[in-house]
Amino acid sequence: MNHVLLIIVVAIVTFIPRLIPALFVGKIEFTPKVEEFLNLIPYTALAALICPGVLTVDTNYWFVGLVGAIVAAGLAWKKVHIGLIVVITVIALICLYMLIPVMHL
Amino acid sequence: MGIGYAVLATQAGLSPLETVSMSVLVYAGAGQIIAATMLAQGASLVAIALTNFVVNLRYFIMNTCIYTQVEESNSALNIASAHLVVDESFAMFTLDKESSIWFYLGLALFAWFSWIAGAIVGVFAYDIIPLIVANSFNISLYALFVAILIPPMKEDKRIFLIVVITGIINIALQYVLGSNWSLVVSTILGAAIGMKIMGYGKKDEECGNKCISGDVVE
């Protein structure tokens, strides 16, 4: 795929929803239904990204991603800071890889 | 996270210049990570563009809130700053009492530059860090997504249910539509079903989203 084209296209589709309110703010009235729908999009988008994508973190060993997700979920449940969750989860996976020396990387 | 994105984008095959350009031109945390992930998975350009459009639709709501809240609304400044909305700048501005456009520009520009700096560091760090660490970095975006999702799921059972249902729909649709299209379809389908779920058991606050704090100012 042409990477330059990809970047330009993604930049445009990202900029359009940002620009419209800047141009027409005050003239747009959302129905509560539309607003609620859009409020839910981040949750559903993340859910769809995680399930089942997290299992493809390591294409050879599906459980690597599952372990990472469980570690991150456990930490988030305990209200650990987001930045710390990412760091600890990455470290946990490094440890996991070290525990399984048979694993080809 | 800017660093994590850069490592991911490099792994997906983007050159250092392309990786940093994306942070400058696209500037959307989740959107960029999704684009890099989908590129690595071999998704089509149309699928990547559509997914990004859907994922970044929230900026439409966020900017609407921000420009409603800004004191002296100035179209030129609004258009100039339209590119700078991300979850962080939105949350910091709408939750702060200060409502001047200059205050917003200051914090939003700082967040943008930090994101770009992170990408530059990530591009260089990628060559230094060992393979085992780089492989473990693959989990970082999912760790972030999980970390963002868990607190609202814990707080609101309906969000919990919506997330679980959407996950199941996406897993099921993989086999019918393939992973790229099922992502877009299940995101929209999940939100549509979610509206029904949110309707049950009247909520205490109108919506858990920060967006409301923007409307309160009116």
Side-chain angles (χ1 to χ4, degrees), chain B residues 174-186:
Chain B
Q174 304 272 308
Y175 300 100
V176 187
L177 302 171
S179 59
N180 308 321
W181 291 105
S182 72
L183 186 71
V184 180
V185 174
S186 54

Side-chain angles (χ1 to χ4, degrees), chain B residues 81-202:
Chain B
S81 61
H83 179 59
L84 301 178
V85 65
V86 284
D87 299 355
E88 291 88 334
S89 60
F90 168 77
M92 283 193 285
F93 180 70
T94 53
L95 294 179
D96 200 287
K97 286 194 177 72
E98 184 72 54
S99 57
S100 113
I101 183 79
W102 301 108
F103 171 72
Y104 175 64
L105 275 175
L107 73 83
L109 280 172
F110 180 77
W112 191 34
F113 292 148
S114 306
W115 178 251
I116 296 165
I120 294 168
V121 171
V123 161
F124 287 111
Y126 181 73
D127 295 329
I128 306 162
I129 53 178
L131 192 62
I132 197 170
V133 179
N135 247 22
S136 302
F137 258 106
N138 283 342
I139 195 70
S140 60
L141 88 130
Y142 291 107
L144 179 78
F145 291 164
V146 170
I148 292 171
L149 266 185
I150 291 289
M153 284 171 76
K154 198 179 167 187
E155 198 176 302
D156 192 332
K157 278 176 191 160
R158 294 168 302 176
I159 298 286
F160 192 102
L161 194 62
I162 291 164
V163 166
V164 171
I165 288 174
T166 308
I168 293 168
I169 290 173
N170 192 36
I171 291 170
L173 283 180
Q174 304 272 308
Y175 300 100
V176 187
L177 302 171
S179 59
N180 308 321
W181 291 105
S182 72
L183 186 71
V184 180
V185 174
S186 54
T187 296
I188 292 169
L189 208 60
I193 295 169
M195 285 171 70
K196 296 272 182 205
I197 294 170
M198 295 306 277
Y200 296 121
K202 273 292 160 196

Side-chain angles (χ1 to χ4, degrees), chain A residues 1 3 7 14 17-18 20-21 23 30 33 36-37 39-40 44 46 48-49 51 53 57 73 77 93-94 97, chain B residues 13-14 18 26-27 43 56 60 63-64 79 82-83 85 136 138 142 145 154 166 170 187 195 198 203 207 209:
Chain A
M1 187 190 296
H3 293 164
I7 293 167
T14 305
R18 283 173 164 159
I20 293 168
L23 295 173
F30 288 121
K33 278 204 174 279
E36 186 165 24
F37 177 77
N39 279 340
L40 290 174
T44 58
L46 290 182
L49 279 164
C51 287
V57 160
W77 200 267
L93 282 207
I94 294 171
Y97 277 123
Chain B
L14 290 183
E18 288 164 351
V26 178
Y27 186 43
N56 293 331
F60 181 77
N63 259 351
T64 305
I79 292 165
H83 179 59
V85 65
S136 302
N138 283 342
Y142 291 107
F145 291 164
K154 198 179 167 187
T166 308
N170 192 36
T187 296
M195 285 171 70
M198 295 306 277
K203 36 205 158 166
C207 75
N209 205 297

Side-chain angles (χ1 to χ4, degrees), chain B residues 19-115:
Chain B
T19 301
V20 177
S21 304
M22 201 160 178
S23 280
V24 176
L25 297 173
V26 178
Y27 186 43
Q32 281 175 244
I33 289 168
I34 289 161
T37 309
M38 290 181 79
L39 181 67
Q41 290 169 355
S44 70
L45 178 64
V46 177
I48 297 175
L50 250 174
T51 309
N52 258 273
F53 183 71
V54 172
V55 167
N56 293 331
L57 265 181
R58 68 182 189 284
Y59 294 140
F60 181 77
I61 294 263
M62 289 183 181
N63 259 351
T64 305
C65 293
I66 288 169
Y67 297 126
T68 309
Q69 198 173 333
V70 157
E71 257 162 29
E72 327 121 47
S73 206
N74 173 325
S75 332
L77 283 174
N78 288 0
I79 292 165
S81 61
H83 179 59
L84 301 178
V85 65
V86 284
D87 299 355
E88 291 88 334
S89 60
F90 168 77
M92 283 193 285
F93 180 70
T94 53
L95 294 179
D96 200 287
K97 286 194 177 72
E98 184 72 54
S99 57
S100 113
I101 183 79
W102 301 108
F103 171 72
Y104 175 64
L105 275 175
L107 73 83
L109 280 172
F110 180 77
W112 191 34
F113 292 148
S114 306
W115 178 251

